Amino acid sequence: MIAHLQGKLVEKSPTQIIIDCGGVGYHVNISLHTYSLLPNTDFIKVYTHLQIKEDAHTLFGFVEKSEREIFKMLLSVSGIGASIARTMLSSLDPKQITNAIASGDVVTIQSIKGIGSKTAQRVILDLKDKVLKLYDLDEVSMSQSNTNRDEALSALEVLGFLRKSSERVVEKIVKEDPDASVESIIKKALKNL
């Protein structure tokens, strides 16, 4: 229904953005990968996926069309909902996910919070052929944007992690690397939670 949004970036956090399109502010859920690729300009365009449920209409946004396609493919797998798909795209970049699926790498997919071995195997079984056909995906360049540990903690909370356990892990990461960007803090935390 809504294929993309183009407008002024009003608010931005690691898990969501608000885009003003002609006076209407759209609340868009994003992955950490998309957050890292957001341009530093006020005017942006994101490709979207609208999820309609009985109790909510939820927009998910992506800087790259290829990430949106992977998100949709992940949603087609039984047992993978929008929040797990978003966590997957926050833990690994799209290229890592497609490589893991194409090569049947259960361990990499299972390393993502919320995915057990059966779900990881189902993802590979259901998507391997599709991924191999769509293998001309764009190369992804990660840009870094420095923010603080509080932003990382609130992002982890939105992704469904308990504040206390997140704080312990994030503190340890920040102690080891005080200049860590919010993306790297969250990625490291996701591996340790």
Side-chain angles (χ1 to χ4, degrees), residues 15-56:
T15 56
Q16 63 191 23
I17 55 174
I18 295 178
I19 302 174
D20 184 321
C21 302
V24 178
Y26 290 91
H27 176 271
V28 183
N29 292 292
I30 59 170
S31 70
L32 188 57
H33 177 71
T34 286
Y35 177 77
S36 72
L37 295 176
L38 285 172
N40 289 328
T41 58
D42 282 350
F43 192 76
I44 64 165
K45 176 179 181 177
V46 290
Y47 299 98
T48 58
H49 172 74
L50 176 65
Q51 184 179 54
I52 299 176
K53 288 186 172 177
E54 232 176 81
D55 59 345

Side-chain angles (χ1 to χ4, degrees), residues 13-178:
S13 81
T15 56
Q16 63 191 23
I17 55 174
I18 295 178
I19 302 174
D20 184 321
C21 302
V24 178
Y26 290 91
H27 176 271
V28 183
N29 292 292
I30 59 170
S31 70
L32 188 57
H33 177 71
T34 286
Y35 177 77
S36 72
L37 295 176
L38 285 172
N40 289 328
T41 58
D42 282 350
F43 192 76
I44 64 165
K45 176 179 181 177
V46 290
Y47 299 98
T48 58
H49 172 74
L50 176 65
Q51 184 179 54
I52 299 176
K53 288 186 172 177
E54 232 176 81
D55 59 345
H57 290 206
T58 312
L59 265 175
F60 293 89
F62 311 93
V63 170
E64 303 167 318
K65 272 187 180 176
S66 60
E67 187 184 7
R68 178 178 66 180
E69 297 316 307
I70 293 166
F71 181 79
K72 286 179 177 179
M73 281 196 306
L74 290 169
L75 290 180
S76 73
V77 177
S78 172
I80 303 267
S83 66
I84 289 183
R86 182 168 72 160
T87 301
M88 288 178 81
L89 290 164
S90 293
S91 302
L92 303 170
D93 68 51
K95 202 74 175 165
Q96 290 173 305
I97 292 173
T98 54
N99 287 341
I101 292 169
S103 64
D105 185 354
V106 176
V107 176
T108 299
I109 294 173
Q110 200 179 329
S111 71
I112 299 163
K113 165 87 170 129
I115 296 196
S117 65
K118 283 184 182 173
T119 306
Q121 289 166 357
R122 197 177 314 120
V123 167
I124 291 167
L125 187 69
D126 290 2
L127 300 181
K128 192 169 186 172
D129 293 338
K130 287 181 189 174
V131 165
L132 291 172
K133 283 180 190 166
L134 292 169
Y135 219 66
D136 58 338
L137 295 170
D138 302 327
E139 277 296 319
V140 178
S141 64
M142 294 290 279
S143 63
Q144 301 224 336
S145 128
N146 287 322
T147 53
N148 58 26
R149 64 177 266 294
D150 295 332
E151 209 165 358
L153 281 170
S154 66
L156 289 166
E157 265 189 300
V158 170
L159 291 171
F161 296 94
L162 294 173
R163 181 91 181 174
K164 278 205 188 290
S165 56
S166 297
E167 278 176 344
R168 279 196 303 268
V169 173
V170 169
E171 286 303 328
K172 188 177 171 193
I173 293 164
V174 172
K175 205 176 210 178
E176 289 169 7
D177 183 7

